[in-house]
Amino acid sequence: MLISTKGRYSLRVMIDLAEHQSGGYIPLKEIAERQEMSEKYLESIIKLLVKDKMLVGLRGKGGGYKLTKAPEQYTVGSVLRLTEESLSPVSCLEPNADACPHVTTCRTLPLWKGLHQVINDYLDNITIADLMQREAEGNDYII
């Protein structure tokens, strides 16, 4: 499993919108500038997020985008499942995968199922609000 640029950027967009929400809509151009992303590429990401109702958009003067829910209600897993083809570590665990002829004898299937569960549990327990919290660099030591 390799998270694509689209997946990584979608998380950055969600964090950006969460950090700059003030009740109004945020123009695409502002998000693109802050995140140093191409507006064209950002449009494709925003389109996915709007289609899934994670964001709402408004056209015209004063328009832009905003979250439809509180940052605490979006999990990293839900965002990545939207942007990635799969979060599965192996192809046989992907949604709509063809039945594997070795499923009854596969000695590694339990390993891959366990890893898949760990990945999903981990990503589903981190929210956009969690990602908004910045840890001070260099203050991570214990005496």
Side-chain angles (χ1 to χ4, degrees), residues 1-4 80-95 97 116 119-120 123:
M1 175 188 70
L2 183 66
I3 304 299
S4 69
L80 291 179
R81 277 187 210 91
L82 179 64
T83 59
E84 303 303 307
E85 285 185 25
S86 174
L87 295 178
S88 300
V90 291
S91 62
C92 63
L93 294 178
E94 291 179 359
H116 187 59
I119 290 168
N120 282 283
L123 296 176

Side-chain angles (χ1 to χ4, degrees), residues 21-131:
Q21 62 183 352
S22 59
Y25 290 86
I26 302 171
L28 183 76
K29 184 176 182 175
E30 287 182 23
I31 302 165
E33 287 174 1
R34 278 194 297 265
Q35 295 301 317
E36 299 178 354
M37 294 178 191
S38 151
E39 279 187 61
K40 189 81 171 163
Y41 192 61
L42 185 54
E43 284 176 3
S44 68
I45 293 169
I46 294 277
K47 185 177 180 179
L48 283 174
L49 297 169
V50 169
K51 184 178 179 184
D52 200 57
K53 297 183 178 22
M54 289 188 177
L55 304 180
V56 64
L58 180 68
R59 293 180 188 244
K61 185 173 174 144
Y65 298 92
K66 67 179 180 178
L67 302 177
T68 57
K69 301 183 279 189
E72 297 81 17
Q73 294 180 290
Y74 297 97
T75 67
V76 169
S78 66
V79 175
L80 291 179
R81 277 187 210 91
L82 179 64
T83 59
E84 303 303 307
E85 285 185 25
S86 174
L87 295 178
S88 300
V90 291
S91 62
C92 63
L93 294 178
E94 291 179 359
N96 304 319
D98 292 334
C100 177
H102 305 286
V103 72
T104 57
T105 59
C106 182
R107 304 290 292 268
T108 60
L109 186 58
L111 166 77
W112 303 128
K113 283 183 175 181
L115 177 58
H116 187 59
Q117 187 66 47
V118 169
I119 290 168
N120 282 283
D121 289 347
Y122 180 73
L123 296 176
D124 288 337
N125 283 295
I126 300 173
T127 67
I128 296 300
D130 295 330
L131 296 178

